[in-house]
C-alpha cells in the first residue's frame, strides 16, 4: 500500500441512507445531501479503525443524482447502477492504495473485496441514535 495517498473511502449512498428509516424515501436527494454534509468531518478525522485524513467519495444514484460535491466529500453520480460505479472506483484504486467501502450490501462487498477493498458497515459513518441501538449495543 502506498503511504503517500490518503485512504480512499467510498460510501454507498443509497445503502447508507436506507439504513435508517427516517423518511428518506420522501426526499432522496435531500437525504443524500444530508448524508454528504454529515460525512465532511470524517475527511479529516477518519473512520473508526481508519486514521484520517481520508479521501471520501459518496456515490449516489437514481433520484439523488446531481448532488454537488463539497469540501472534503466528492460526490459521484452513477449513470446506472451505483454498485457498478463503486466497484469501478475500488478497482481503479488498485493494489497500491488502501480502499474502504461503506456498505451493508453483501453482493457489493464481495465485488469490491475481490479488488482488495475492505468493507465497513453504515454505522461507521451513521452511528445509531440512542433510540435505534440494538439491545447488545452499550
Amino acid at each position: 500500500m502506498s503511504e503517500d495517498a490518503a485512504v480512499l473511502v467510498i460510501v454507498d449512498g443509497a445503502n447508507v441512507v436506507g439504513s435508517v428509516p427516517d423518511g428518506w424515501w420522501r426526499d432522496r436527494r435531500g437525504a443524500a445531501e444530508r448524508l454528504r454534509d454529515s460525512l465532511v468531518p470524517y475527511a479529516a478525522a477518519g473512520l473508526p479503525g481508519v486514521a484520517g485524513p481520508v479521501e471520501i467519495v459518496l456515490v449516489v444514484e437514481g433520484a439523488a443524482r446531481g448532488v454537488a460535491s463539497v469540501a472534503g466529500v466528492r460526490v459521484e453520480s452513477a449513470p446506472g447502477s451505483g454498485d457498478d460505479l463503486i466497484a469501478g472506483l475500488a478497482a481503479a484504486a488498485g493494489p497500491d492504495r488502501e480502499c474502504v467501502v461503506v456498505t451493508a450490501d453483501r453482493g457489493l462487498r464481495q465485488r469490491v473485496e475481490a479488488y482488495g477493498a475492505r468493507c465497513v458497515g453504515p454505522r461507521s459513518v451513521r452511528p445509531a441514535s440512542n433510540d435505534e441501538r440494538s439491545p447488545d449495543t452499550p
Side-chain angles (χ1 to χ4, degrees), residues 102-125:
V102 181
T103 188
D105 180 317
R106 287 184 196 171
L108 179 57
R109 282 176 172 250
Q110 290 176 339
R111 289 176 68 184
V112 299
E113 287 171 349
Y115 297 117
R118 180 165 59 99
C119 295
V120 297
R123 287 200 175 169
S124 63
V125 296

Side-chain angles (χ1 to χ4, degrees), residues 31-134:
E33 289 170 339
R34 288 187 298 277
L35 173 59
R36 174 204 60 200
D37 295 347
S38 74
L39 293 172
V40 171
Y42 293 103
L47 307 178
V50 181
V54 298
E55 178 185 355
I56 298 178
V57 178
L58 171 62
V59 174
V60 296
E61 61 186 314
R65 283 190 195 105
V67 169
S69 297
V70 296
V73 180
R74 185 174 95 225
V75 180
E76 294 282 339
S77 292
S81 162
D83 289 2
D84 289 345
L85 179 54
I86 292 166
L89 291 168
D96 294 328
R97 184 166 187 202
E98 186 176 357
C99 179
V100 175
V101 176
V102 181
T103 188
D105 180 317
R106 287 184 196 171
L108 179 57
R109 282 176 172 250
Q110 290 176 339
R111 289 176 68 184
V112 299
E113 287 171 349
Y115 297 117
R118 180 165 59 99
C119 295
V120 297
R123 287 200 175 169
S124 63
V125 296
R126 196 164 182 180
S129 71
N130 289 335
D131 296 335
E132 296 168 344
R133 289 179 190 237
S134 64

